[in-house]
Amino acid sequence: MTTRSALFPRNFKKDYPVAVRGEGCWIIAADGQRYLDAAGQAAVVNIGHGVPEIGRAMAAQASQIAFAHTSQFHNEPAARLAARLLALAPPSFRNGGRVYLVSGGSEATETAIKLARQYHLECGDTPRYRVLSRRQSYHGSTLGAMTVSGNVGRRLPYLPLMPEWGHIAPCFCSRCPFDLRYPDCHLACADDLDTRLRETGAHDAAAFLFEPVVGATLGAAVPPADYAARIAEICRRHGLLLIADEVMTGLGRTGKPFAVEHWGLEPDLITVGKGIGGGYAPLGAVLVGPRVVAAFERGSGAFAHGFTYQAHPVAAAAGNAVLDYLETHRLFDRVAPAAASLRAALAPLESHPHVAEVRGLGLLLGIEFVRDKVARTPFDPSAAIAEKIRRAAMDEGVLTYPSQGCVDGSRGDHLLLAPPFILSGEEARTIAHALSTALARVFST
Ligand SMILES: Cc1ncc(COP(=O)(O)O)c(C=O)c1O
């Protein structure tokens, strides 16, 4: 679509094809071009595009009751979705947990920040408000979510609008911020939370927020197995709530319903978005653990927060239909084999002189590109390597999600791959072939 469209685009300097249809892992544009969606758009599309059951469920709900404000009514699809999410969550959530349904990941982050603050007020611990987080992270685009995010590029224009609540080191073994190696590092990156709390005092700290696997900003950086437990212990010791941002990793993307389940972690709050609606509806949620719920029940009873469209019946119907589809087709179980075939197809790329590594967990994968493979020197950001590779892969009919800044916030190029869980072996090979052609094209010039 040209920039003459009435829409305010993401980028006035880019042209966008018009998407008219979706079929499984494919998006079809108005000009008939078919694109293999290797990034699930942005780690959203888990069950695939164009599943008719989802549309039918949404239409049925819309013709029954499309909207009833949550200050006056509950609705059945929202209550049902909440119960089903708790059933998938770590065990502690099943005994007294609740779910706050919203319309996307950023709203989930905002809600979690405010839940953490009000939790401490309900407990009489009034000074606690700061939500600490990590550099090189992304938690959403609203101001609260950006305050906790650590993505330099996305924060830069808005710095004057954001307070600094404390960002600690990322957990990124491929490029350790302390220049150490696991396990000799003794998890210095986790201990950075302890250090920061000791330096600043923990008396006003409300929570720590982190992505179990860092998606957009680090390109699928997976922590060592004992990282999460160390973080949880530090939070407990200093009286902070622990919030896992599972907007990208939740609903099966890493091979478990929630990524924290890989490490047996029981956070106080889990935020979800993206895959919960599978792309069919704007939907997000905060799973609220029992001790937070109990504080509200015992205390004021009322959360000083709310969105007009929270727990929207049609969006919740979409969420239920997506979950039905995931369960009926046992799609959580498809993640590991689909990931194995995608990793196998991508393996030859790892010997490319400009590919630093392919990393990730389940169907959340990152490919990092470097100028010098031995020294791991990144490209100059102005070369826009990730964007060029995205463009070249798109010319080959494959959609990827490019990003810059994995080295230090501005340098470092990577692509994120997060295809639907139904990806076939042949589609995995098509992705690898398109990327190999794209690399040849970009690096021959
Ligand atoms: C980890 C994480 N948290 C939060 C968000 C924000 O979600 P949304 O774009 O739906 O507001 C994103 C979006 O990319 C994300 O990756």
Side-chain angles (χ1 to χ4, degrees):
M1 186 172 285
T2 70
T3 47
R4 290 222 180 84
S5 157
L7 285 169
F8 195 106
R10 288 223 171 202
N11 187 336
F12 280 91
K13 307 238 161 99
K14 269 191 188 171
D15 276 342
Y16 301 89
V18 178
V20 290
R21 218 171 67 249
E23 282 170 12
C25 294
W26 297 79
I27 290 183
I28 296 102
D31 62 2
Q33 171 76 47
R34 292 171 64 84
Y35 295 99
L36 176 49
D37 190 5
Q41 292 304 280
V44 172
V45 182
N46 47 8
I47 65 168
H49 296 276
V51 176
E53 292 94 310
I54 316 301
R56 282 199 289 269
M58 294 172 74
Q61 183 59 48
S63 51
Q64 192 75 27
I65 173 77
F67 181 70
H69 200 279
T70 47
S71 61
Q72 296 173 27
F73 291 101
H74 278 321
N75 68 78
E76 192 277 333
R80 184 157 168 262
L81 180 59
R84 296 176 78 185
L85 289 170
L86 290 178
L88 290 172
S92 62
F93 284 82
R94 292 178 214 152
N95 190 10
R98 296 284 183 120
V99 175
Y100 197 99
L101 288 174
V102 293
S103 305
S106 300
E107 285 191 8
T109 303
E110 297 294 334
T111 303
I113 290 170
K114 289 169 81 175
L115 274 169
R117 164 64 178 156
Q118 197 176 331
Y119 163 80
H120 290 293
L121 291 178
E122 299 290 354
C123 297
D125 205 348
T126 50
R128 289 189 186 265
Y129 72 94
R130 282 191 299 134
V131 177
L132 288 91
S133 54
R134 302 187 298 190
R135 299 191 292 278
Q136 314 271 79
S137 59
Y138 183 63
H139 299 291
S141 61
T142 49
L143 281 173
M146 288 224 313
T147 298
V148 284
S149 292
N151 182 303
V152 174
R154 295 187 198 194
R155 283 168 56 94
L156 193 62
Y158 306 107
L159 278 178
L161 309 183
M162 293 182 284
E164 179 50 69
W165 291 338
H167 289 83
I168 68 157
C171 177
F172 189 25
C173 296
S174 304
R175 292 182 175 278
C176 174
F178 301 98
D179 228 355
L180 296 170
R181 287 253 171 287
Y182 180 81
D184 300 335
C185 64
H186 303 293
L187 294 173
C189 55
D191 286 343
D192 199 37
L193 177 58
D194 188 52
T195 309
R196 185 58 57 94
L197 288 168
R198 286 172 193 280
E199 278 168 9
T200 58
H203 65 285
D204 61 353
F208 177 69
L209 168 67
F210 80 117
E211 296 164 80
V213 177
V214 185
T217 32
L218 289 184
V222 185
D226 45 353
Y227 176 81
R230 178 77 62 87
I231 285 287
E233 183 277 315
I234 295 167
C235 286
R236 239 185 338 265
R237 185 150 39 86
H238 289 283
L240 278 69
L241 295 182
L242 179 56
I243 310 170
D245 178 342
E246 295 242 21
V247 169
M248 215 175 242
T249 52
L251 278 296
R253 170 105 353 241
T254 67
K256 303 245 185 215
F258 295 100
V260 290
E261 294 170 76
H262 287 286
W263 308 290
L265 185 70
E266 301 265 6
D268 295 290
L269 304 171
I270 299 177
T271 58
V272 281
K274 297 188 185 269
I276 184 181
Y280 290 85
L283 189 58
V286 185
L287 277 57
V288 187
R291 96 167 141 136
V292 178
V293 173
F296 279 79
E297 280 177 335
R298 261 196 325 263
S300 69
F303 183 24
H305 178 67
F307 299 104
T308 297
Y309 282 134
Q310 71 187 62
H312 191 276
V314 180
N320 279 310
V322 166
L323 260 184
D324 286 342
Y325 197 85
L326 282 164
E327 287 170 3
T328 309
H329 297 269
R330 304 178 67 89
L331 291 191
F332 289 149
D333 297 341
R334 288 279 292 276
V335 172
S341 80
L342 183 55
R343 291 295 277 254
L346 295 172
L349 286 187
E350 293 202 76
S351 49
H352 189 282
H354 293 298
V355 172
E357 67 177 356
V358 179
R359 55 177 173 254
L361 189 61
L363 281 175
L364 185 61
L365 300 181
I367 309 176
E368 186 184 333
F369 307 102
V370 283
R371 187 159 57 77
D372 181 317
K373 190 160 180 143
V374 178
R376 291 213 163 205
T377 323
F379 287 99
D380 191 284
S382 65
I385 287 295
E387 171 56 20
K388 282 183 183 148
I389 297 170
R390 178 202 71 86
R391 184 66 246 181
M394 191 172 173
D395 290 344
E396 297 299 311
V398 168
L399 305 170
T400 57
Y401 179 166
S403 231
Q404 274 192 316
C406 61
V407 172
D408 56 9
S410 55
R411 291 178 313 145
D413 289 83
H414 65 264
L415 290 184
L416 205 64
L417 301 182
F421 304 170
I422 53 169
L423 187 81
S424 69
E426 192 186 334
E427 287 165 337
R429 287 187 290 281
T430 303
I431 293 170
H433 184 260
L435 285 173
S436 164
T437 309
L439 291 181
R441 176 123 34 92
V442 168
F443 292 118
S444 71
T445 53

